[in-house]
């Protein structure tokens, strides 16, 4: 490597003697020009600028013809080939052109037409995404406000004797005013865990509902008390609004604290002075956990901590918790903690025997808010890659019966419909007769599926087969109507016969090709016992009343025979427990969550009814009343419609389906191409003409996917926005293969209208842009760094060959002509090569959840979606150039913002340092030249050492990084002021170099800011314990040394040997890593750039060797700016 002084350029090394010859100076003057200081050398700046203008003209010609992107086109820069070998006449003739070209090259604001076009296109895309996000494909908000009267009792006994976090965190017991009269524990312990920056008071909606529901209803039911049901004691932890989403150590600290809190809570029930429980009941050994957002991750983390007490947690319910992956990957600890947690849960459920699974008794329910949650992508709430269906599932609030609405990140806590469902499901799952305070895991899962799922999923269990007949139905010939096989029953009003009446539908035998289902829909609530409802549905078989048998074995006898002897008796089971509520759909309906009485729906496969002969619909009204019911047996071939159309054809032509007038009550349309959560659709349902008879109900649409369990209902549907959380980017694969990844559309329509219905489905391209925001937010932190790295690479390549360090915008223009398109094309090709077509549905094996598979044999690759787009679908390859274009525009905006700030600061600095107007211009220039005044090397070394010492002990290196960014801004400000005052080419080159380093550092700053925010927050709560993972001085030392070097005005030397390729290779690999793994492992970008800075520091050191004296010279900033080497 040929060394040059760090402050010199190629012109400083080779051109000074030539300039002296051209000016006809004598030997003494030429020697003085070679050895003079900066101030003396500035007197030849006009001549140097003349030579620089010729070089700039050559560089501008390259800019105009640089479509090949090859730096070699700059040509040889030896003096004998330089344009200054021409006569002065030619220089004078072309002086105006050269001056214009020089100003064009040196202006950091100017960009080419190509850059302007790409930036404009980027802004259009950004506007489209933001506009689509806030105006298109929006789910309606239907959560009702909840009310409570909270009181909080601080448990001061949980002090430093129990936990080392007692001075930072606190534990509270919730009590409802007017319901709870004391602070004694007497029920089942529930611990609420708040989320990122959340308040412990967020427990109040759930805790209030639990207290009031138990006090008003459960306490009055003697059977509930005998079944082991008690009230819930809600505890909550005050984390002082800790920020857990950005910092892994904080998450671990909370998990450690809560395990100690669980042990303390359980000890309260053992203390007669603090407890008021029935002495005959076992002491609680387990606590129920409810976590919101990151609180759900803390709950799962508790089970992997060393201080976790075995079996102390058996039920976890989370709301809007990002289980699948961290919300952001800016902190190494949060990424590693996630990997550790998820690996533990996966390994546990991959054990061959249940005894080897420490989580066998744990149930995990993840509740997601859906598209209204703009804080955490609801795709991340999926636990299909962590937990088998026997132990947990993911469900969306829009699927939960009688909730039927989405919820944003905070409203999911206070949504009145949802909190009622959660509390009722928990209370039903209690059993204080067991030490775990809850029913068995299998029973808990049945309860949770019944409360949270719609009832139409394949995993839903019908209860009718598990019960004995409870009703004896006695009929006479004229009191019932037996329909013929396959005939549909339609009841348009109740009570027209003046007395109760039964309608019998014969059940067809199983074995019909395609299968047969029984479907019933009514606007009446089904009666489970003798009540005031109008309709009762029974599954009956002929009752053989033989001698010695009595009808008293039935709890209910329904005699419709009148005064005559009954002609037949049927033993029946009531179908009401299997009733599925559906949103009411009439001409007045607007949303599914409207406060109207829901429809009642029954759905059975004929195989579930094999032991019965009839379905009996009993009209219990004795006088005419309004109401309707439709019941039928339909073949699955007629009620199911599979549309095999490709996504490209769907995108271009849409989908059009006409449903026959002779259709069944419910029709299911399955389009396998509807899988990706990135695409949204517009659905249109045509109107139907019912003729003379009034329409019983308007079309009701349900869109649903099987895993996660997401359903959306559209009442009185005419137009519907179809968006869902199906196959999403960056999610790990599920533990078990899905039977179907696609969305199905289930449509209930009035079959009595005898009218066809037209359905059309179109891709909503504009609405789909908004879905990119939630799925690819962190791309903004990674892809722009790809662009910056390529721009820096081009700047260094040109600098090493010509000595000119071009502006950021000029280098960006060159990159747009070659480097950026090539890299984006390479990334697109890589995305296509690692992607595959959507997996086809595979039949589930007998080993449903891999219980028989050894843990080491688990072959799933949970990291296969970590790269680039996070997809295994090549259809979305175009997102790579799309994000590349958007990143270019963002880089331009950030660059202009930085330029504006630096120019403002530079102007303000010049204004402050300008002396009175009587000072001559020459004196003022000499007075303002030393912008990079040499500071004592001892002072700089001491300052850097103190800062590194503080990083190693007290402050995180992220704080030192922010300081380095501020110092770099100051360096750029001084460099710009000096360049504007001297009009020196060397100073312009240095400013461009310092500015580009600043841009690089600014794109790393967002990666470091979250941890810095956590550290500042801890200071505000007087928690001074240092972070154990952010005190590595090697993670910040190269940044600090490079910034300190630039504060002395030291220009990076040119490299004439092959070592210059190292800079190019490092920056190229930085760009490729940002594009491939920048989203998943963003924290590594800091360390990669740190390594690049270390290499740049090494280049600076090369001018003076690695000796201490050389380092001292460089820190003084004298070796490049005070001497110019004489050309041999």
């Amino acid at each position: 490597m040929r060394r040059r002084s760090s402050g010199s350029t190629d012109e400083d090394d080779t051109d000074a003697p030539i300039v002296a010859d051209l000016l006809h100076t004598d030997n003494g003057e030429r020697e003085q020009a070679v050895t003079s200081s900066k101030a003396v050398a500035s007197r030849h700046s006009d001549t140097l600028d003349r030579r620089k203008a010729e070089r700039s003209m050559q560089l501008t010609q390259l800019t105009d013809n640089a479509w090949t992107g090859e730096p070699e086109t700059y040509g040889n820069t030896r003096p004998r080939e330089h344009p200054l070998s021409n006569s002065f006449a030619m220089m004078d003739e072309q002086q105006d052109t050269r001056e214009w070209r020089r100003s064009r090259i040196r202006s950091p604001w100017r960009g080419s037409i190509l850059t302007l076009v790409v930036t404009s296109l980027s802004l259009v895309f950004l506007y489209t995404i933001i506009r689509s996000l806030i105006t298109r494909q929006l789910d309606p908000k239907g959560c009702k406000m909840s009310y409570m009267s909270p009181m909080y009792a601080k448990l001061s006994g949980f002090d430093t004797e129990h936990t080392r976090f007692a001075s930072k965190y606190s534990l509270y017991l919730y009590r409802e005013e007017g319901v709870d009269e004391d602070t004694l524990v007497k029920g089942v312990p529930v611990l609420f865990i708040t989320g990122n920056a959340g308040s412990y008071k967020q427990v109040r909606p759930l805790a209030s509902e639990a207290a009031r529901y138990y006090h008003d209803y459960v306490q009055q039911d003697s059977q509930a008390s005998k079944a082991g049901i008690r009230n819930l004691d809600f505890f909550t932890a005050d984390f002082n609004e800790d920020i857990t989403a950005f910092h892994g150590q904080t998450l671990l600290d909370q998990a450690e604290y809560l395990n100690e809190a669980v042990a303390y809570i359980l000890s309260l029930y053992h203390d007669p002075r603090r407890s008021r429980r029935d002495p005959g009941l076992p002491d609680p050994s387990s606590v129920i956990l409810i976590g919101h957002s990151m609180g759900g991750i803390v709950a799962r983390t508790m089970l992997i901590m060393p201080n976790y007490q075995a079996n102390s947690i058996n039920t976890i319910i989370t709301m809007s918790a990002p289980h699948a992956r961290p919300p952001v990957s800016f902190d190494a600890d949060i990424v590693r903690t996630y990997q550790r947690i998820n690996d533990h849960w996966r390994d546990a459920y991959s054990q061959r025997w249940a005894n080897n699974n420490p989580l066998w008794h744990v149930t995990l329910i993840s509740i997601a808010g859906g598209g209204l949650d703009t804080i955490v992508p609801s795709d991340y709430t999926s636990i299909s890659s962590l937990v088998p269906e026997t132990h947990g599932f993911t469900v969306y609030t829009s699927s939960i019966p009688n909730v039927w609405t989405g919820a944003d990140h905070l409203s999911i806590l206070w949504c009145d419909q949802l909190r009622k469902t959660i509390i009722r499901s928990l209370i039903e799952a209690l059993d204080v007769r067991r030490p775990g305070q809850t029913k068995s895991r299998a029973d808990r899962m049945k309860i949770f599926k019944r409360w949270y799922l719609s009832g139409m999923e394949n995993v839903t269990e019908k209860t009718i087969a598990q019960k004995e007949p409870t009703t004896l139905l006695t009929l006479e010939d004229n009191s019932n109507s037996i329909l013929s096989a396959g005939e549909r029953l339609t009841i348009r009003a109740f009570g027209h016969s003046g007395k109760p009446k039964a309608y019998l539908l014969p059940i067809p035998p199983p074995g019909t090709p395609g299968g047969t289902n029984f479907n019933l829909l009514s606007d009446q609530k089904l009666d489970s016992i003798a009540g005031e409802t109008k309709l009762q549905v029974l599954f009956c078989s002929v009752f053989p009343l033989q001698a010695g048998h009595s009808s008293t074995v039935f709890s209910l006898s329904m005699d419709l025979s009148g005064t005559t002897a009954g002609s037949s008796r049927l033993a029946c089971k009531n179908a009401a427990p299997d009733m599925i509520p559906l949103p009411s759909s009439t001409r007045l309906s607007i949303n599914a969550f409207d406060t109207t009485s829901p429809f009642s729906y029954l759905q059975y496969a004929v195989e579930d009814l094999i032991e019965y002969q009839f379905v009996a619909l009993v009209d219990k009204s004795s006088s005419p009343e309004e109401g309707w019911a439709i019941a039928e047996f339909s073949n699955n071939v007629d009620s199911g419609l599979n549309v095999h159309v490709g996504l490209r054809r769907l995108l271009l032509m849409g989908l059009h389906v006409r449903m026959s007038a002779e259709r069944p009550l419910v029709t299911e349309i399955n389009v396998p191409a509807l899988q990706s959560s990135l695409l949204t659709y517009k659905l249109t349902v045509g109107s139907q003409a019912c003729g003379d008879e009034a329409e019983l109900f308007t079309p009701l649409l349900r869109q649903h996917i099987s895993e996660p369990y997401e359903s959306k209902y559209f009442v009185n549907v005419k137009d519907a926005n179809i968006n869902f959380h199906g196959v999403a980017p960056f999610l790990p694969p599920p533990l078990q293969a899905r039977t179907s990844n696609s969305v199905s559309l289930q449509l209930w329509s009035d079959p009595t209208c005898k009218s066809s219905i037209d359905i059309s489905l179109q891709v909503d391209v504009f609405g789909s842009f908004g879905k990119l925001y939630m799925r690819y937010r962190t791309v903004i932190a990674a892809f722009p760094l790809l662009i910056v790295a390529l721009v820096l690479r081009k700047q260094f390549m040109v600098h090493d060959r010509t000595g000119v360090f071009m502006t950021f915008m000029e280098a960006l223009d060159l990159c747009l002509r070659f480097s950026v398109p090539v890299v984006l094309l390479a990334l697109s090709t890589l995305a296509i090569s690692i992607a595959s077509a959507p997996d086809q549905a595979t039949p589930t094996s007998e080993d449903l959840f891999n219980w028989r598979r050894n843990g080491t044999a688990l072959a799933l690759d949970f990291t296969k979606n970590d790269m680039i787009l996070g997809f295994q679908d090549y259809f979305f390859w175009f997102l790579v150039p799309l994000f590349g274009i958007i990143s270019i525009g963002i880089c331009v905006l950030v660059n202009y913002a930085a330029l504006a700030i630096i120019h403002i600061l530079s102007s303000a600095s010049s204004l402050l340092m300008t002396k009175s107007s009587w000072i001559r211009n020459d004196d003022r220039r000499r007075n303002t030249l030393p912008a990079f005044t040499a500071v004592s090397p001892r002072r700089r070394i001491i300052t850097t050492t103190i800062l590194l010492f503080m990083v190693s002990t007290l402050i995180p290196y992220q704080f030192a990084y922010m300081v380095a960014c501020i110092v770099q801004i100051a360096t750029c400000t001084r460099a710009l002021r000096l360049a504007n005052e001297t009009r020196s080419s060397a100073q312009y080159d240095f400013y461009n170099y310092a500015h580009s380093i600043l841009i690089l550092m600014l794109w790393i700053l967002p990666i470091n800011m979250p941890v810095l925010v956590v550290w500042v927050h801890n200071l505000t709560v007087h928690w001074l314990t240092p972070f154990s993972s952010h005190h590595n001085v090697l993670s910040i030392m190269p940044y600090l040394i490079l910034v300190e070097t630039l504060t002395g005005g030291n220009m990076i030397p040119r490299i004439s040997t092959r070592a210059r390729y190292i800079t190019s290779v490092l920056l190229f690999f930085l760009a490729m890593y940002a594009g491939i793994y920048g989203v998943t492992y963003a924290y590594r970008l800091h360390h990669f750039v740190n390594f690049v800075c270390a290499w740049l520091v090494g280049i600076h050191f090369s001018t003076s060797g690695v000796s201490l004296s050389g380092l001292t010279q460089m820190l003084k900033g004298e070796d490049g700016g005070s001497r110019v080497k004489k050309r041999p």
Side-chain angles (χ1 to χ4, degrees), residues 139 320 367-379 381 395-398 405-409 412 710 712 723-725 771 774-775:
D139 295 336
S320 299
I367 304 175
L372 291 178
D373 191 344
T374 57
I375 304 298
V376 172
S378 290
D379 304 287
T381 62
V395 64
Y396 284 71
T397 56
S398 58
T405 180
D408 61 44
H409 198 66
I412 198 171
E710 181 185 22
K712 289 184 180 180
N723 58 81
F724 50 89
H725 297 80
K771 301 305 175 184
M774 290 302 298
R775 275 80 178 187

Side-chain angles (χ1 to χ4, degrees), residues 897-1028:
L899 284 174
I901 294 174
I902 292 172
H903 276 72
I904 292 174
L905 294 177
S906 176
S907 300
S909 176
S910 299
L911 184 63
L912 292 176
M913 297 186 65
T914 301
K915 292 186 177 181
S916 302
S917 58
W918 54 269
I919 299 179
R920 299 195 312 271
N921 291 336
D922 290 342
D923 294 337
R924 183 169 58 183
R925 183 171 61 179
R926 284 195 297 268
N927 200 14
T928 58
L929 273 177
F932 295 99
T933 305
V935 181
S936 169
R938 178 180 301 179
R939 178 180 176 183
R940 292 191 177 184
I941 293 176
I942 292 176
T943 301
T944 304
T945 303
I946 291 176
L947 188 58
L948 292 176
F949 175 77
M950 294 181 66
V951 167
S952 65
T953 55
L954 296 177
I955 65 175
Y957 68 77
Q958 288 83 358
F959 179 81
Y961 185 86
M962 185 186 68
V963 173
C965 289
I966 296 175
V967 173
Q968 186 64 16
I969 292 176
T971 299
C972 291
T973 301
R974 294 196 301 269
L976 178 61
R977 180 171 61 84
L978 183 60
N980 291 334
E981 292 176 350
T982 62
R983 300 294 178 181
S984 169
S985 300
Q987 296 301 331
Y988 275 115
D989 287 344
F990 174 75
Y991 167 71
N992 292 336
Y993 169 53
H995 178 81
S996 296
I997 295 298
L998 173 63
I999 296 299
L1000 179 66
M1001 295 179 65
L1002 289 179
W1003 278 113
I1004 299 297
L1005 185 61
I1007 299 176
N1008 292 298
M1009 284 303 296
V1011 175
L1012 183 60
V1013 171
V1014 175
W1015 179 69
V1016 173
H1017 173 268
N1018 283 351
L1019 291 182
T1020 61
V1021 297
H1022 308 290
W1023 183 255
L1024 305 180
T1025 302
F1027 297 157
S1028 60

Side-chain angles (χ1 to χ4, degrees), residues 142 274 279 684 820 832 919 927 931 1011 1077:
R274 304 297 303 273
T684 302
V820 171
I832 295 175
I919 299 179
N927 200 14
V1011 175
Y1077 285 108

Side-chain angles (χ1 to χ4, degrees), residues 389 393-396 398-401 404 448-462 578 580-582 601 603-605 608 668 702-713 739 746 748:
E389 288 187 351
F393 55 85
T394 304
V395 64
Y396 284 71
S398 58
S399 306
I400 300 176
W404 296 324
F448 292 148
K449 288 179 180 179
R450 186 171 70 254
W451 278 99
Y452 295 118
L453 301 186
S454 67
M456 292 171 279
E457 294 81 4
N458 294 331
V459 297
T460 304
E461 299 182 12
K462 302 297 184 181
D578 291 332
I580 301 171
L582 292 179
Y601 179 63
Q603 181 184 49
Y604 292 94
D608 297 332
E668 184 154 353
R702 171 185 175 239
Q703 76 164 62
H704 64 94
I705 53 179
S706 58
E707 178 55 41
Y709 298 112
E710 181 185 22
S711 297
K712 289 184 180 180
Y713 295 91
T739 56
Q746 200 170 8
W748 288 266

Side-chain angles (χ1 to χ4, degrees), residues 447-757:
I447 294 171
F448 292 148
K449 288 179 180 179
R450 186 171 70 254
W451 278 99
Y452 295 118
L453 301 186
S454 67
M456 292 171 279
E457 294 81 4
N458 294 331
V459 297
T460 304
E461 299 182 12
K462 302 297 184 181
T463 62
I464 191 169
Q466 305 169 5
K467 297 183 178 180
E468 296 296 327
T470 57
T471 303
L472 179 63
L473 181 61
T474 305
L475 304 173
E476 64 176 11
D477 291 339
N478 60 356
S479 67
N480 66 88
S481 300
I482 301 179
L483 280 70
S484 59
E487 184 180 357
R488 177 186 297 125
L489 171 64
T490 302
I491 302 176
R492 291 187 170 273
F494 294 97
H496 279 294
S497 60
K499 62 179 180 178
K501 183 177 182 180
Y503 302 88
L504 299 183
L505 281 73
I507 298 176
T512 306
T516 303
N517 284 341
F518 170 74
N519 298 293
L520 178 142
L521 184 66
S522 176
D523 64 344
Q524 302 298 310
K525 183 178 179 180
L526 300 186
D527 186 15
S528 58
I529 58 175
E532 298 297 331
T533 57
K534 309 170 187 177
L535 180 65
Q536 192 169 28
V537 181
L538 306 172
F539 291 97
C540 305
S541 57
V542 177
F543 179 67
L545 191 59
Q546 302 174 355
H549 289 76
S550 173
S551 61
T552 56
V553 297
F554 299 98
S555 60
L556 179 64
S557 178
M558 188 176 299
D559 189 356
L560 303 181
S561 61
T563 57
T564 61
S567 61
S568 61
R569 294 182 180 181
L570 302 177
C572 303
K573 297 180 182 179
N574 200 315
D578 291 332
M579 186 268 294
I580 301 171
L582 292 179
S584 174
S585 181
T586 65
R587 293 192 178 276
L588 299 178
S589 300
I590 300 177
N591 294 302
F593 49 81
D594 291 342
T595 55
T596 56
S597 299
F599 288 169
S600 298
Y601 179 63
L602 289 176
Q603 181 184 49
Y604 292 94
V606 73
E607 289 76 14
D608 297 332
L609 308 177
I610 192 172
E611 60 178 292
Y612 313 106
Q613 286 84 43
F614 298 99
V615 179
L617 274 71
V618 181
D619 177 2
K620 299 169 60 178
S621 298
S622 301
S623 59
E625 297 185 52
E626 293 183 353
W628 55 266
I630 302 175
E632 66 178 12
F633 284 93
S634 61
N635 192 289
N636 290 339
V637 176
D638 299 329
S639 61
L641 180 61
N642 293 320
V643 183
H644 296 281
V645 57
L647 190 57
R648 292 170 184 82
R649 181 179 176 184
L650 188 64
L651 183 64
L652 295 176
M653 303 177 60
L655 174 66
H656 303 276
V657 175
R658 169 163 290 186
M659 298 176 57
S660 171
E662 298 295 332
R663 62 185 178 274
L665 170 66
V666 56
T667 304
E668 184 154 353
I669 304 174
N670 182 34
V671 186
L674 303 185
Q675 296 188 7
S676 174
S677 61
L678 296 182
L679 295 179
T680 62
Y681 306 86
K682 298 289 289 187
L683 180 74
T684 302
V685 179
S687 59
Q688 58 179 353
C690 285
D692 297 334
E693 295 183 339
E695 188 178 34
L696 296 179
F697 65 96
T698 55
L700 170 64
L701 178 71
R702 171 185 175 239
Q703 76 164 62
H704 64 94
I705 53 179
S706 58
E707 178 55 41
Y709 298 112
E710 181 185 22
S711 297
K712 289 184 180 180
Y713 295 91
F714 302 91
V715 298
N716 192 22
V717 59
K718 296 181 180 65
D719 300 293
N721 292 324
I722 305 298
N723 58 81
F724 50 89
H725 297 80
V727 179
F730 303 110
L731 292 186
L735 287 178
Q736 63 181 102
R738 296 175 177 174
T739 56
S740 176
N741 292 330
S742 61
V743 173
S744 295
L745 302 175
Q746 200 170 8
L747 181 67
W748 288 266
S749 60
D750 188 353
T752 64
C753 286
K754 304 298 182 181
S755 174
S756 61
I757 297 180

